[in-house]
Amino acid sequence: MGDALSASVLGRSERTRVEYGNGIIGRLGEFATGLGAKHALVVTDPGIVAVGHVDRAEASLRAAGLDVSRFADVHENPSESDVSACRAAAADLDIDVLIGLGGGSSIDVAKGCAFLRAGGGRMADYRGHGLAKGELLPLIAVPTTAGTGSEMQSYALITHDETHEKLACGDPQAAARIAVLDPELTLTQPRRITAVTGLDTLAHAVESAVTKKRNATSDACADEAFELVAANFPHVLEAPNDLEARGAMLRASACAGLAIEHSMLGAAHSMANPLTAHFDVTHGCAVGCALPTVVRYNAERGEVATRYVALRPIDELVTVLRHCVRAAGVASELGHVDRAAIPTLAREAAEQWTAQFNPRQVGPDDFASLYGAMLDECEELAS
Ligand SMILES: [Fe+2]
Protein backbone atom coordinates (compact mmCIF):
# COMPACT_ATOMS: atom_id res chain seq x y z
CA MET A 1 0.00 0.00 0.00
CA GLY A 2 2.98 2.26 0.55
CA ASP A 3 3.38 2.26 -3.24
CA ALA A 4 0.25 4.36 -3.52
CA LEU A 5 2.18 7.16 -1.84
CA SER A 6 5.42 6.98 -3.77
CA ALA A 7 3.95 8.77 -6.79
CA SER A 8 1.72 11.00 -4.69
CA VAL A 9 2.22 14.50 -3.32
CA LEU A 10 1.42 12.87 0.04
CA GLY A 11 4.64 10.87 -0.14
CA ARG A 12 6.57 14.16 -0.22
CA SER A 13 4.73 15.81 2.65
CA GLU A 14 7.28 16.78 5.29
CA ARG A 15 5.43 18.71 7.97
CA THR A 16 2.82 15.96 8.29
CA ARG A 17 4.13 12.46 7.62
CA VAL A 18 1.50 10.29 5.90
CA GLU A 19 1.09 6.63 6.82
CA TYR A 20 -1.32 4.82 4.51
CA GLY A 21 -2.68 1.30 4.26
CA ASN A 22 -5.52 -1.09 5.05
CA GLY A 23 -5.42 -1.94 8.74
CA ILE A 24 -2.63 0.54 9.46
CA ILE A 25 -4.60 1.72 12.51
CA GLY A 26 -3.00 -1.36 14.13
CA ARG A 27 0.33 0.50 14.03
CA LEU A 28 -0.97 3.60 15.81
CA GLY A 29 0.87 2.66 19.02
CA GLU A 30 4.14 2.31 17.13
CA PHE A 31 3.63 5.75 15.55
CA ALA A 32 2.88 7.35 18.94
CA THR A 33 5.92 5.83 20.65
CA GLY A 34 7.97 7.02 17.68
CA LEU A 35 7.09 10.55 18.81
CA GLY A 36 8.33 9.67 22.30
CA ALA A 37 4.79 9.56 23.73
CA LYS A 38 3.76 7.69 26.87
CA HIS A 39 0.20 8.85 27.48
CA ALA A 40 -2.29 9.50 24.67
CA LEU A 41 -5.60 11.35 24.73
CA VAL A 42 -7.96 10.01 22.05
CA VAL A 43 -10.35 12.76 20.89
CA THR A 44 -13.40 11.35 19.12
CA ASP A 45 -17.20 11.21 18.96
CA PRO A 46 -19.79 8.64 20.12
CA GLY A 47 -20.47 7.35 16.59
CA ILE A 48 -16.81 6.41 16.11
CA VAL A 49 -16.84 4.66 19.49
CA ALA A 50 -19.97 2.72 18.47
CA VAL A 51 -18.45 1.31 15.28
CA GLY A 52 -15.40 0.02 17.16
CA HIS A 53 -12.67 2.23 15.69
CA VAL A 54 -11.79 3.71 19.08
CA ASP A 55 -11.31 0.26 20.61
CA ARG A 56 -8.97 -0.69 17.77
CA ALA A 57 -6.98 2.52 18.14
CA GLU A 58 -6.71 2.24 21.91
CA ALA A 59 -5.75 -1.46 21.76
CA SER A 60 -2.83 -0.56 19.50
CA LEU A 61 -1.73 2.27 21.82
CA ARG A 62 -1.90 0.03 24.91
CA ALA A 63 -0.07 -2.82 23.16
CA ALA A 64 2.78 -0.38 22.54
CA GLY A 65 2.90 0.43 26.26
CA LEU A 66 1.07 3.77 26.28
CA ASP A 67 -1.43 4.92 28.87
CA VAL A 68 -4.67 5.91 27.15
CA SER A 69 -7.37 8.44 28.06
CA ARG A 70 -10.45 9.24 26.00
CA PHE A 71 -12.60 12.30 25.24
CA ALA A 72 -15.57 11.09 23.16
CA ASP A 73 -17.95 14.06 23.30
CA VAL A 74 -17.09 15.88 20.06
CA HIS A 75 -20.11 17.31 18.21
CA GLU A 76 -20.49 18.00 14.49
CA ASN A 77 -19.44 21.57 13.56
CA PRO A 78 -17.62 21.84 16.90
CA SER A 79 -17.90 24.99 18.98
CA GLU A 80 -15.58 26.74 21.39
CA SER A 81 -17.44 24.91 24.18
CA ASP A 82 -16.54 21.53 22.64
CA VAL A 83 -12.87 22.48 22.70
CA SER A 84 -13.08 23.82 26.26
CA ALA A 85 -14.77 20.60 27.39
CA CYS A 86 -11.97 18.54 25.83
CA ARG A 87 -9.37 20.79 27.45
CA ALA A 88 -11.11 20.42 30.84
CA ALA A 89 -11.27 16.62 30.49
CA ALA A 90 -7.52 16.57 29.88
CA ALA A 91 -6.62 19.15 32.55
CA ASP A 92 -5.39 16.75 35.21
CA LEU A 93 -3.90 14.20 32.82
CA ASP A 94 -0.22 13.95 32.09
CA ILE A 95 -0.80 13.42 28.35
CA ASP A 96 1.96 13.92 25.80
CA VAL A 97 0.20 13.17 22.49
CA LEU A 98 -3.26 13.88 21.07
CA ILE A 99 -4.99 11.44 18.73
CA GLY A 100 -7.74 13.09 16.64
CA LEU A 101 -9.85 10.10 15.52
CA GLY A 102 -12.95 10.72 13.42
CA GLY A 103 -14.18 13.28 10.91
CA GLY A 104 -12.80 16.80 10.65
CA SER A 105 -14.68 17.72 13.84
CA SER A 106 -12.66 15.37 16.05
CA ILE A 107 -9.37 16.36 14.44
CA ASP A 108 -10.21 20.06 14.83
CA VAL A 109 -11.20 19.67 18.49
CA ALA A 110 -7.90 17.88 19.14
CA LYS A 111 -6.04 20.79 17.51
CA GLY A 112 -8.08 23.25 19.56
CA CYS A 113 -7.29 21.34 22.75
CA ALA A 114 -3.59 21.71 21.97
CA PHE A 115 -3.99 25.52 21.65
CA LEU A 116 -5.89 25.90 24.94
CA ARG A 117 -3.70 23.49 26.90
CA ALA A 118 -0.57 25.43 25.95
CA GLY A 119 -1.91 28.97 26.11
CA GLY A 120 -5.26 29.03 27.96
CA GLY A 121 -8.15 31.33 27.02
CA ARG A 122 -10.78 30.46 24.41
CA MET A 123 -10.52 29.54 20.74
CA ALA A 124 -11.53 33.04 19.60
CA ASP A 125 -8.18 34.19 21.02
CA TYR A 126 -6.40 32.11 18.37
CA ARG A 127 -8.35 33.24 15.31
CA GLY A 128 -5.90 33.84 12.50
CA HIS A 129 -2.51 32.27 12.01
CA GLY A 130 0.52 31.84 14.22
CA LEU A 131 -1.06 32.86 17.53
CA ALA A 132 -0.26 29.66 19.48
CA LYS A 133 1.38 30.34 22.82
CA GLY A 134 4.11 27.99 23.99
CA GLU A 135 4.67 24.51 22.71
CA LEU A 136 1.65 22.57 21.42
CA LEU A 137 1.20 18.86 22.12
CA PRO A 138 1.93 16.73 19.06
CA LEU A 139 -1.11 15.48 17.14
CA ILE A 140 -1.70 12.27 15.24
CA ALA A 141 -4.74 12.64 12.96
CA VAL A 142 -6.74 9.56 11.99
CA PRO A 143 -9.57 10.53 9.63
CA THR A 144 -12.60 8.25 9.28
CA THR A 145 -14.20 10.27 6.49
CA ALA A 146 -12.89 11.52 3.15
CA GLY A 147 -13.41 14.44 4.04
CA THR A 148 -12.30 17.77 5.21
CA GLY A 149 -8.58 17.19 4.75
CA SER A 150 -8.04 18.57 8.27
CA GLU A 151 -5.39 15.90 8.80
CA MET A 152 -3.09 17.83 6.45
CA GLN A 153 -3.90 21.35 7.62
CA SER A 154 -2.58 23.68 10.30
CA TYR A 155 -6.06 25.18 10.86
CA ALA A 156 -8.88 24.16 13.16
CA LEU A 157 -12.36 25.38 12.19
CA ILE A 158 -14.26 26.11 15.39
CA THR A 159 -17.65 27.82 15.77
CA HIS A 160 -17.77 30.93 17.98
CA ASP A 161 -20.03 30.24 20.97
CA GLU A 162 -22.00 33.50 20.75
CA THR A 163 -21.86 34.68 17.13
CA HIS A 164 -21.78 31.18 15.54
CA GLU A 165 -19.13 32.43 13.12
CA LYS A 166 -16.59 29.89 11.90
CA LEU A 167 -13.23 30.74 13.46
CA ALA A 168 -10.21 29.59 11.45
CA CYS A 169 -7.46 29.12 14.03
CA GLY A 170 -4.13 28.09 12.58
CA ASP A 171 -0.54 27.66 13.57
CA PRO A 172 2.29 25.66 11.99
CA GLN A 173 2.55 23.74 15.28
CA ALA A 174 -1.13 22.72 15.13
CA ALA A 175 -0.66 20.59 12.01
CA ALA A 176 -0.63 16.85 12.69
CA ARG A 177 2.82 15.28 12.98
CA ILE A 178 1.43 12.12 11.42
CA ALA A 179 -1.72 11.47 9.36
CA VAL A 180 -2.78 7.82 9.58
CA LEU A 181 -4.90 7.03 6.50
CA ASP A 182 -6.59 3.65 6.88
CA PRO A 183 -9.21 3.00 4.17
CA GLU A 184 -10.87 0.34 6.36
CA LEU A 185 -11.94 3.04 8.81
CA THR A 186 -14.01 4.75 6.11
CA LEU A 187 -16.11 1.65 5.32
CA THR A 188 -18.52 2.33 8.18
CA GLN A 189 -19.62 5.78 6.97
CA PRO A 190 -23.34 6.03 6.19
CA ARG A 191 -23.95 6.66 2.46
CA ARG A 192 -24.99 10.24 3.02
CA ILE A 193 -21.71 11.00 4.83
CA THR A 194 -19.75 9.47 1.95
CA ALA A 195 -21.79 11.66 -0.42
CA VAL A 196 -21.45 15.02 1.34
CA THR A 197 -17.82 14.59 2.42
CA GLY A 198 -16.89 13.45 -1.10
CA LEU A 199 -18.50 16.58 -2.57
CA ASP A 200 -16.53 18.67 -0.08
CA THR A 201 -13.28 17.03 -1.24
CA LEU A 202 -14.28 17.68 -4.87
CA ALA A 203 -14.93 21.34 -4.07
CA HIS A 204 -11.60 21.64 -2.24
CA ALA A 205 -9.77 20.26 -5.28
CA VAL A 206 -11.55 22.42 -7.87
CA GLU A 207 -11.51 25.65 -5.84
CA SER A 208 -7.90 25.37 -4.64
CA ALA A 209 -6.85 24.73 -8.27
CA VAL A 210 -7.69 28.28 -9.33
CA THR A 211 -7.47 30.69 -6.37
CA LYS A 212 -5.47 33.91 -6.45
CA LYS A 213 -3.03 32.38 -3.96
CA ARG A 214 -2.35 29.14 -5.80
CA ASN A 215 1.24 28.04 -6.42
CA ALA A 216 3.08 25.08 -7.96
CA THR A 217 2.65 23.00 -4.80
CA SER A 218 -1.08 23.60 -4.49
CA ASP A 219 -1.49 22.95 -8.22
CA ALA A 220 0.12 19.52 -7.91
CA CYS A 221 -2.03 18.68 -4.87
CA ALA A 222 -5.26 19.94 -6.48
CA ASP A 223 -4.60 18.06 -9.73
CA GLU A 224 -4.00 14.79 -7.91
CA ALA A 225 -7.05 15.27 -5.68
CA PHE A 226 -9.29 16.07 -8.65
CA GLU A 227 -8.19 13.04 -10.66
CA LEU A 228 -8.74 10.72 -7.70
CA VAL A 229 -12.21 12.11 -6.97
CA ALA A 230 -13.34 12.14 -10.61
CA ALA A 231 -12.26 8.51 -11.01
CA ASN A 232 -13.60 7.19 -7.71
CA PHE A 233 -16.40 9.27 -6.19
CA PRO A 234 -19.41 8.09 -8.24
CA HIS A 235 -18.04 4.53 -8.02
CA VAL A 236 -17.60 4.53 -4.24
CA LEU A 237 -21.23 5.58 -3.87
CA GLU A 238 -22.29 2.52 -5.86
CA ALA A 239 -19.73 0.13 -4.39
CA PRO A 240 -19.19 1.35 -0.81
CA ASN A 241 -17.16 -1.71 0.18
CA ASP A 242 -14.58 -1.27 -2.58
CA LEU A 243 -11.52 -0.68 -0.40
CA GLU A 244 -9.36 0.46 -3.28
CA ALA A 245 -11.83 3.21 -4.18
CA ARG A 246 -12.21 4.12 -0.49
CA GLY A 247 -8.45 4.43 -0.27
CA ALA A 248 -8.35 6.65 -3.34
CA MET A 249 -10.99 8.95 -1.80
CA LEU A 250 -9.05 9.11 1.46
CA ARG A 251 -5.89 10.10 -0.42
CA ALA A 252 -7.90 12.62 -2.45
CA SER A 253 -9.18 14.23 0.72
CA ALA A 254 -5.67 14.51 2.15
CA CYS A 255 -4.27 15.90 -1.15
CA ALA A 256 -7.07 18.46 -1.29
CA GLY A 257 -6.41 19.41 2.34
CA LEU A 258 -2.79 20.03 1.47
CA ALA A 259 -3.84 22.08 -1.57
CA ILE A 260 -5.99 24.34 0.62
CA GLU A 261 -3.10 24.89 3.00
CA HIS A 262 -1.17 26.52 0.13
CA SER A 263 -4.01 28.02 -1.86
CA MET A 264 -7.18 28.67 0.21
CA LEU A 265 -10.66 28.33 -1.32
CA GLY A 266 -13.12 30.32 -3.43
CA ALA A 267 -16.68 31.42 -4.14
CA ALA A 268 -18.39 28.02 -3.68
CA HIS A 269 -17.18 27.98 -0.09
CA SER A 270 -18.26 31.61 0.36
CA MET A 271 -21.76 30.65 -0.82
CA ALA A 272 -21.94 27.61 1.46
CA ASN A 273 -21.60 29.25 4.87
CA PRO A 274 -24.72 31.47 4.61
CA LEU A 275 -26.72 28.48 3.29
CA THR A 276 -25.61 26.46 6.31
CA ALA A 277 -26.30 29.31 8.75
CA HIS A 278 -29.80 30.24 7.45
CA PHE A 279 -31.12 26.96 6.00
CA ASP A 280 -29.05 24.32 7.75
CA VAL A 281 -27.74 22.97 4.44
CA THR A 282 -24.86 20.55 5.06
CA HIS A 283 -21.50 22.06 4.12
CA GLY A 284 -20.53 19.41 1.55
CA CYS A 285 -23.94 19.52 -0.07
CA ALA A 286 -23.79 23.32 -0.37
CA VAL A 287 -20.27 23.53 -1.82
CA GLY A 288 -20.86 20.64 -4.22
CA CYS A 289 -24.08 22.11 -5.55
CA ALA A 290 -22.51 25.57 -5.94
CA LEU A 291 -19.52 24.25 -7.85
CA PRO A 292 -20.82 23.93 -11.46
CA THR A 293 -22.26 27.47 -11.31
CA VAL A 294 -19.07 28.93 -9.83
CA VAL A 295 -16.88 27.18 -12.42
CA ARG A 296 -18.96 28.60 -15.30
CA TYR A 297 -18.71 32.06 -13.76
CA ASN A 298 -14.94 31.90 -13.17
CA ALA A 299 -14.29 30.37 -16.60
CA GLU A 300 -15.47 33.58 -18.27
CA ARG A 301 -12.02 34.88 -17.35
CA GLY A 302 -9.55 33.51 -19.89
CA GLU A 303 -6.65 32.91 -17.52
CA VAL A 304 -8.91 31.01 -15.11
CA ALA A 305 -10.35 28.96 -17.95
CA THR A 306 -6.82 27.98 -18.93
CA ARG A 307 -6.19 26.60 -15.47
CA TYR A 308 -9.49 24.68 -15.42
CA VAL A 309 -8.60 23.19 -18.78
CA ALA A 310 -5.56 21.59 -17.12
CA LEU A 311 -8.16 19.52 -15.22
CA ARG A 312 -10.66 19.06 -18.07
CA PRO A 313 -11.99 21.14 -20.98
CA ILE A 314 -14.60 23.47 -19.41
CA ASP A 315 -17.73 21.73 -20.74
CA GLU A 316 -16.36 18.36 -19.71
CA LEU A 317 -15.38 19.69 -16.28
CA VAL A 318 -18.88 21.00 -15.66
CA THR A 319 -20.29 17.65 -16.82
CA VAL A 320 -18.06 15.80 -14.33
CA LEU A 321 -19.14 18.12 -11.51
CA ARG A 322 -22.85 17.75 -12.36
CA HIS A 323 -22.43 13.98 -12.58
CA CYS A 324 -20.87 13.94 -9.08
CA VAL A 325 -23.70 16.07 -7.63
CA ARG A 326 -26.31 13.85 -9.26
CA ALA A 327 -24.59 10.67 -8.06
CA ALA A 328 -24.42 12.08 -4.52
CA GLY A 329 -28.20 12.51 -4.62
CA VAL A 330 -28.24 15.57 -2.36
CA ALA A 331 -29.39 18.40 -4.67
CA SER A 332 -32.94 18.10 -3.31
CA GLU A 333 -31.63 19.32 0.07
CA LEU A 334 -31.49 22.82 -1.42
CA GLY A 335 -35.21 22.60 -2.19
CA HIS A 336 -36.25 24.44 0.98
CA VAL A 337 -34.00 27.44 0.39
CA ASP A 338 -36.28 30.48 0.10
CA ARG A 339 -35.34 32.60 -2.92
CA ALA A 340 -36.53 35.68 -1.08
CA ALA A 341 -33.43 35.26 1.10
CA ILE A 342 -31.02 35.57 -1.84
CA PRO A 343 -30.11 39.24 -1.18
CA THR A 344 -29.20 38.38 2.43
CA LEU A 345 -27.29 35.26 1.43
CA ALA A 346 -25.45 37.20 -1.28
CA ARG A 347 -24.45 40.01 1.07
CA GLU A 348 -23.10 37.53 3.61
CA ALA A 349 -21.30 35.44 0.97
CA ALA A 350 -19.43 38.54 -0.18
CA GLU A 351 -18.20 39.05 3.39
CA GLN A 352 -16.77 35.54 3.73
CA TRP A 353 -13.05 35.19 4.16
CA THR A 354 -12.81 32.82 1.17
CA ALA A 355 -14.38 35.29 -1.31
CA GLN A 356 -11.16 37.32 -1.55
CA PHE A 357 -9.26 34.31 -2.93
CA ASN A 358 -11.72 33.53 -5.73
CA PRO A 359 -9.89 34.07 -9.04
CA ARG A 360 -12.62 36.35 -10.41
CA GLN A 361 -13.88 39.34 -8.46
CA VAL A 362 -17.21 38.48 -6.88
CA GLY A 363 -19.44 40.98 -5.08
CA PRO A 364 -22.98 40.88 -3.63
CA ASP A 365 -24.72 41.32 -7.02
CA ASP A 366 -22.61 38.55 -8.54
CA PHE A 367 -23.38 36.27 -5.63
CA ALA A 368 -27.11 36.98 -6.03
CA SER A 369 -26.94 35.82 -9.66
CA LEU A 370 -24.85 32.81 -8.66
CA TYR A 371 -27.36 31.75 -5.98
CA GLY A 372 -30.22 32.03 -8.46
CA ALA A 373 -28.39 29.94 -11.05
CA MET A 374 -27.36 27.41 -8.41
CA LEU A 375 -30.93 26.92 -7.19
CA ASP A 376 -32.16 26.52 -10.78
CA GLU A 377 -29.50 23.90 -11.41
CA CYS A 378 -30.29 22.07 -8.16
CA GLU A 379 -33.94 21.76 -9.17
CA GLU A 380 -32.80 20.18 -12.41
CA LEU A 381 -30.24 17.86 -10.77
CA ALA A 382 -32.70 16.76 -8.10
CA SER A 383 -35.32 15.64 -10.62
FE1 LIG B 1 -15.10 22.52 2.49
Side-chain angles (χ1 to χ4, degrees), residues 130-182:
L131 297 176
K133 296 180 196 133
E135 197 177 328
L136 302 198
L137 282 177
L139 168 70
I140 300 178
V142 191
T144 60
T145 62
T148 62
S150 178
E151 64 275 13
M152 302 304 291
Q153 293 168 15
S154 62
Y155 282 85
L157 279 182
I158 304 294
T159 304
H160 192 286
D161 274 342
E162 288 91 35
T163 65
H164 305 292
E165 261 179 296
K166 289 261 186 197
L167 306 169
C169 308
D171 190 276
Q173 280 196 73
R177 296 284 181 86
I178 306 174
V180 178
L181 308 185
D182 185 341

Side-chain angles (χ1 to χ4, degrees), residues 200 204 265 269 283 287:
D200 195 21
H204 293 167
L265 293 160
H269 274 76
H283 174 78
V287 289

Side-chain angles (χ1 to χ4, degrees), residues 7 45 92 127 173 188 271 281 362:
D45 71 64
D92 298 329
R127 180 183 208 171
Q173 280 196 73
T188 52
M271 291 171 73
V281 180
V362 56

Side-chain angles (χ1 to χ4, degrees), residues 42-124:
V42 177
V43 179
T44 189
D45 71 64
I48 302 301
V49 176
V51 294
H53 297 334
V54 177
D55 285 343
R56 282 182 78 185
E58 292 181 353
S60 172
L61 292 164
R62 288 203 178 90
L66 281 99
D67 292 327
V68 180
S69 299
R70 180 192 295 184
F71 176 80
D73 289 331
V74 173
H75 298 103
E76 211 178 307
N77 298 317
S79 65
E80 289 183 288
S81 298
D82 284 295
V83 179
S84 295
C86 180
R87 155 84 179 97
D92 298 329
L93 300 173
D94 192 20
I95 51 171
D96 49 16
V97 67
L98 291 158
I99 313 287
L101 172 61
S105 300
S106 293
I107 297 170
D108 283 355
V109 169
K111 286 179 193 169
C113 180
F115 277 103
L116 297 192
R117 189 175 171 95
R122 60 187 285 182
M123 284 314 292

